[in-house]
Amino acid sequence: MATAFAPKVFKNYINGEWVEARGGKTIENRNPANRNELVGMFPASGAQDVQEAVDAAKSAYKKWRLVPAPKRAEMLFRAAEILVERKEDYARDMTREMGKILSETRGDVQEAIDMTYLMAGEGRRQFGHVAPSELPSKFAMAVRAPIGVAGMITPWNFPMAIPSWKVMPALVCGNTIVLKPAEDTPLSTYNLTQALAEAGLPPGVLNVVFGDGPQAGAPMLDNPDVDLLSFTGSTEVGRIVSQACAPTFKKCHLEMGGKNIIIVMDDANLELAIEGAVWGGFGTTGQRCTAASRVGVHKKVYGEFVEKFVERVKKLKVGDGVDAATEMGPCINEQQLKTVMSYVEIGKSEGAKLAIGGHRLESGALAKGWFHEPTVFVDCNGKMRICQEEIFGPVVAVIPFGTFEEAIEIANGVSYGLSASIYTRDVNKAFRAQRDLETGIVYVNAPTIGAEVHLPFGGTKNTGNGHREAGLAALDFYSEWKTVYFDYSDKLQRAQIDSA
Ligand code: NAD
């Protein structure tokens, strides 16, 4: 069992075996809250490892697609039970490798559990449809068919939940998998893989290659034996993925960056909105694709909101996520910390007012990690770079507005379209907002974060390419509609001609 006590050197999972990368190289996985702590060494895989994983997946597909979906689902159900049993250990592993506080990593594992149970249920559903034929003695139906080998590339911020969003629907639909998780958080994917292997998944059905993007992710993109590709990560890399998948016509699913907003109307429950903005802005250290990195506040309540919000942010306890008192952990790595620091300088140079924060935290034990102060810029305008670009850190920009229409314009005035929220007690404004906000997810009187697995998840514009993760929508990506006609008339019947 892989926990804090697991061996320090981990391996790829190919064709049901744990194997070293062919090149023999490894990547260090270190705790971002304490760089002295080595969580483990993971394979630095390359093209040959990926090819072996693809070959194994291709070969396993021949049998796996014929396993009845309810039987495939039973394996998922067993995996969910294992995850439930190991939830605490896996959450602690996750906090060590990514810094997210324990209550949140427990939530991440829980999300994987929820998704696994949800898709186990789909083993006995996956409904198609039957329709009457326009011709006599003819039967017509549409069924879901598996597609083949699914390539998956995942980010570090939800290291068990996001792989589970892809792996579980792909498996229950009858596909086989090659998964390349983020280099910063391989242990959580290792743990998920371990649970599925112990649940009885046949060799080759799920293959996992660890390593960095260009070496271990890119070889999947133009591989003709990979039939579909699901990517979650930055918009920048998503564009590379999309272009690389095009020549082989891979079905390609992209979930990318966000610049999400909470709109606070003048009739909002202000205390609730402040609580939501703190959670939405600084939960997961602002490193959620759905993080509320912008808060638009009606001018009538702007002064009071800013004062109370800043007071509340000042009290946030930053530290190691394993400490139960900690409310916000570190940035994932040095590069991410540097990005945050550079955006603080950009915000200042653009004329935004720094109300709190703005510095790296380096006193005492914090010096060992990549910690940054929770930071709030106020008096921003929606066009500033800090209000347009994804920072992916603990930085919130507060933007005053005068009317509902102006708020919607600010909300929609970014290139991303993942999540948006409005705090109001006016039911008409709430309904107009959900209609007019150009995002894939809208919340009313709740922050921009908090997705549940049985509903579609994804974004518009530069956030996504039209597919959705989770819910029944996930089945649409991992299966193909096959339309089947049975003619039992014993004669040639021509559609549109003989029926006229
Ligand atoms: P990233 O784009 O740097 O990396 C994502 C994955 O792509 C990693 O596994 C990485 O190794 C791989 N990769 C990098 N270069 C590659 C290449 N050339 N070819 C193939 N694979 C490559 O993103 P990240 O820093 O891991 O995650 C943060 C980003 O993810 C943010 O932009 C965030 O908004 C986004 N995100 C989006 C969602 C969503 O559902 N919309 C969810 C979580 C995170």
Side-chain angles (χ1 to χ4, degrees), residues 94 97-98 100 108 155-163 185 188-189:
M94 196 185 294
E97 72 172 344
M98 81 157 282
K100 193 152 77 173
D108 198 311
W156 46 264
N157 64 339
F158 280 86
M160 190 175 283
I162 290 180
T185 52
S188 296
T189 307

Side-chain angles (χ1 to χ4, degrees), residues 153-157 162 165 180-183 211-214 217-218 221 231-235 237 240-241 255-258 288-289 390 392 418 457 463 469:
I153 298 177
T154 52
W156 46 264
N157 64 339
I162 290 180
W165 289 8
K180 204 297 285 175
E183 49 273 42
D212 74 14
L221 307 180
F231 167 85
T232 300
S234 61
T235 299
V237 176
I240 296 173
V241 170
E255 287 297 337
M256 302 172 284
R288 287 192 185 213
C289 49
E390 186 181 49
F392 226 55
L418 185 51
F457 180 96
T463 298
E469 207 120 57

Side-chain angles (χ1 to χ4, degrees), residues 230-279:
S230 181
F231 167 85
T232 300
S234 61
T235 299
E236 193 188 0
V237 176
R239 187 166 286 116
I240 296 173
V241 170
S242 176
Q243 287 170 353
C245 284
T248 45
F249 303 114
K250 279 185 191 21
K251 189 174 181 185
C252 171
H253 175 190
L254 306 170
E255 287 297 337
M256 302 172 284
K259 193 68 190 176
N260 317 289
I261 191 166
I262 290 177
I263 297 171
V264 183
M265 295 304 299
D266 50 343
D267 66 349
N269 175 339
L270 222 53
E271 298 300 330
L272 187 67
I274 288 163
E275 213 183 334
V278 172
W279 173 227

